[in-house]
Amino acid sequence: QAGAPATQVRGMFARIASTYDLLNHLRSAGRDAAWRRVVASPIDVSSTHVLDLCAGIGGLGLEALGVKGSAAAIGRIPEW
């Protein structure tokens, strides 16, 4: 059946989206937040926009907002 795997993947992410960030944070003992800070820290503050591709739940884009005033998340899970 065409499209079934994509539908199944979307359904899986829809089911876990509400707890994914918390579980990721707990399982990594906070390292997930640390790597986002490391990635976002060298962003050139003279830039006007930050683009987070394949954003998942948008954590890196949100971290970038702390550095920049404008961020866009592409590929964010809409259920989150």
Side-chain angles (χ1 to χ4, degrees):
Q1 179 177 340
T7 301
Q8 291 173 353
V9 170
R10 277 192 297 276
M12 179 193 69
F13 279 110
R15 286 189 302 277
I16 67 169
S18 63
T19 57
Y20 178 83
D21 197 33
L22 175 62
L23 291 175
N24 189 33
H25 185 69
L26 293 174
R27 289 180 182 163
S28 70
R31 295 306 307 156
D32 61 311
W35 78 255
R36 281 192 294 274
R37 282 191 300 274
V38 168
V39 170
S41 65
I43 293 174
D44 182 358
V45 293
S46 66
S47 299
T48 57
H49 301 288
V50 173
L51 178 61
D52 182 5
L53 295 173
C54 302
I57 60 171
L60 183 56
L62 291 172
E63 186 67 36
L65 281 174
V67 177
K68 294 299 309 155
S70 176
I74 304 295
R76 186 184 67 81
I77 298 171
E79 290 81 6
W80 182 250

